[in-house]
Structure formats: C-alpha cells, structure tokens
Amino acid sequence: MPELPEVETLRRGLEAAVVGRRVCSVALFGERTVRRQDPAQLVAALSGRLVSGAARWGKYLVVPLGGGAGDEGGEALVVHLRMSGQLLHVGAGAPLAHHTRAVIGLDDGSELRFVDPRTFGELFVADALEASGRPSALAALGPDPLVDGIDADRLAALAKRRRCALKTLLLDQKVLAGIGNIYADEILFRAGLRPARAACSLAPVEHGRLVAAIGEVLAAAVAARGSTLSDARYLDLGGAPGSYQEHHAVYARTGAPCLGCGTPVTRVRVAGRSAHFCRSCQA
DNA sequence: AAGCACACCTGCTAGC
DNA sequence: TGCTAGCAGGTGTGCT
C-alpha cells in the first residue's frame, strides 16, 4: 500500500502532531510485529524517550529518539508498513481497531497505533544513526528521490547495464528508494515508456524524460497526500484519505480510455507484478 | 551477479 | 446465498 508519497504524508503528520511528545507506554500484540530484535528490547528502548524528529528514507519512517538516561546514542524507531500497515494518531479513548499490532502511549494522552492485518509490516529500534541521520540498518537503500534528489547520471549509468524491465529497475529499492507498483506505472506513463522495455534500451532523451517524470509524479502525489484506493487501506495519521488516486492515468484503469488518447489501458505482468500502460502513448 | 519464483499473511472480489 | 480461487500497495531469501 504505502509508497513514498503516502509515507511522506505520514512523516509530515508525525512532525506536526507527535514530535516533542514523550513515550509513556508501549504495548505490542502478536509475534510478528517486532522480529529483528527481542520485543522487550524495543519496549525498553522506547519507554520514557522523547520523539525528537520524523524522517523518512524510501518507504521507511525513521523517528529519532531523544531524552535517554545519559545516552544520546542516536537511536531511532523505524517503521515499515509493507502491504497493509497503517499508522494512526488517536485519542486514548478511541476504540481499538481489529489487527492493532502496537500502541504507543504519549505524554499528552494521545496514542500512536500501528494496525496491520497481514502482519508484513514491522517496527524496530535502530541504533548507530549515521551523520545523515540514516540508520545503518537501511544502508542498502538507494537514494531517496525527495530527500537526496535524483542523480540523473547515476540512474542512466545503472539503467545502461541492466537488462531487466524498466519497471523492475524502478521498483528496485537499491536503485531508488520509495517507488512502488502504483507510482512506477504512473511515472512510466508520464515518461511515455513501456514498463516491459529493457532498462538498457533507453536513449539519452528517454533517460531525461524518465528522471523528469519521477520528480513530477512523486511531487504531485505528495501534494495530494498520497493515493487511497477503493479498499481505503491507506489513510493518513489522522485517518483521512489521500486524493492522488483521482489523478491516476493508468494504475487500476485496465480497459478504461487512456486520458491522453482514448486507447484502452492495457494490463500485463512484469516480473510477477501487474503493470498498466497505454499501447499508444508509451513506447 | 542479476533475475526470478516463492514465502510471509489476511481480506476482498469475481466467478461459479 | 455460499463456496473457492485468485489477487493485492512490499521485501527478504534462496535458487539458477
């Protein structure tokens, strides 16, 4: 569900409503939510700490923790929502949603809740923040298009020596961090490139179109507070939907007329994922 | 080493 | 109406 624009919207929500609060309590439900470390270790690391910021790398939320007893060791709570996770900020009296996996009580009486039906999502406390504020646990991630900007030369060089489909390249978090299935399709439509095109087949002018499309689509989606599909699985921190789904040109529009030329949108499978495109507008 | 299939789960929908 | 197969925004592993 959540890709870069959705996670960025949550990050902004945390910045506005949660940064500066202190953690009073932590409750975990189920076995799978904390799996990189002993859950008791996460509870101990969070309890009593100050939420001192809200950052994001790709689809990971990184919440730096301050106010430890003598340790300013640069710890951070890291959250990944995977397919079905939600992060909600509610009053303590709000009814507990089904599939609530974690409840973090804050010193103003509010709660941060992690809800995740499919249990793919996870929480962990990372130590050893690098100078950039990025946890070493996320070192394998490529540059984030919003945080780091897009290095067009690097992207072109990577594309040139990969024989995989263009869409597979965009979904590779080591290449660029944050793009998922929805925005890969929307970016490729905007760039006029077919998802199954070999990454190494692009002409220089096409590299330029791709880089521009990445920036434009992600910026527009962040401005619209992300995409909420018909199942309403993505909601922002306050429970409100995004609106970028109203601007989707191809994603989940199989058979509907292309907004550019009227040709029905085609759906194919690329590397095991569904891919939507216009046969006429994308080459 | 890149690329692919599959596993991890629950819930929803389309089709019978 | 009720069952079942298939599919879903992501990523980590292990095999070729």
Side-chain angles (χ1 to χ4, degrees):
Chain A
M1 165 215 290
E3 306 181 24
L4 185 152
E6 291 78 28
V7 181
E8 173 63 16
T9 303
L10 289 169
R11 188 201 69 74
R12 293 178 182 188
L14 288 173
E15 197 156 63
V18 177
V19 169
R21 301 268 63 85
R22 193 172 289 274
V23 175
C24 295
S25 63
V26 181
L28 299 173
F29 309 95
E31 298 293 306
R32 286 176 44 79
T33 307
V34 179
R35 49 187 186 266
R36 297 198 192 199
Q37 61 200 164
D38 182 349
Q41 191 186 336
L42 176 132
V43 173
L46 276 179
S47 299
R49 301 295 291 279
L50 196 68
V51 176
S52 63
R56 179 191 57 75
W57 269 276
K59 303 168 194 169
Y60 290 84
L61 275 172
V62 177
V63 180
L65 302 168
D71 67 320
E72 292 302 325
E75 289 185 325
L77 171 67
V78 181
V79 181
H80 197 302
L81 303 170
R82 288 294 221 282
M83 295 280 270
S84 62
Q86 277 184 349
L87 201 60
L88 296 166
H89 185 230
V90 298
L96 209 62
H98 196 206
H99 302 306
T100 298
R101 308 297 181 192
V103 176
I104 298 174
L106 303 171
D107 61 359
D108 62 352
S110 67
E111 290 178 352
L112 205 51
R113 297 183 182 176
F114 178 62
V115 180
D116 185 17
R118 291 174 74 178
T119 73
F120 290 173
E122 64 166 332
L123 309 180
F124 63 96
V125 170
D127 49 18
L129 290 189
E130 292 165 8
S132 61
R134 182 165 165 166
S136 51
L138 306 185
L141 287 182
D144 181 287
L146 289 195
V147 176
D148 305 307
I150 307 167
D151 182 336
D153 292 339
R154 177 180 170 278
L155 187 62
L158 277 170
K160 213 173 287 182
R161 58 186 180 75
R162 293 277 296 264
R163 278 180 308 171
C164 65
L166 208 39
K167 173 149 181 183
T168 306
L169 186 79
L170 289 183
L171 292 176
D172 186 343
Q173 302 298 298
K174 295 188 281 298
V175 173
L176 277 176
I179 297 170
N181 211 37
I182 294 176
Y183 296 105
D185 282 2
E186 294 300 316
I187 286 164
L188 290 171
F189 174 80
R190 189 171 186 101
L193 300 167
R194 292 200 185 193
R197 267 280 288 280
C200 56
S201 73
L202 295 200
V205 63
E206 294 177 316
H207 287 136
R209 294 212 313 260
L210 181 59
V211 166
I214 292 168
E216 290 160 5
V217 167
L218 293 178
V222 169
R225 303 179 65 79
S227 299
T228 298
L229 303 185
S230 54
D231 61 8
R233 204 124 27 137
Y234 164 72
L235 299 172
D236 70 16
L237 204 61
S243 64
Y244 193 69
Q245 68 283 356
E246 295 163 19
H247 303 281
H248 289 180
V250 287
Y251 184 81
R253 295 193 63 246
T254 310
C258 168
L259 302 179
C261 73
T263 303
V265 169
T266 301
R267 174 178 149 151
V268 294
R269 290 197 86 79
V270 175
R273 312 289 303 275
S274 67
H276 311 76
F277 71 101
C278 172
R279 290 187 179 282
S280 168
C281 295
Q282 294 172 256

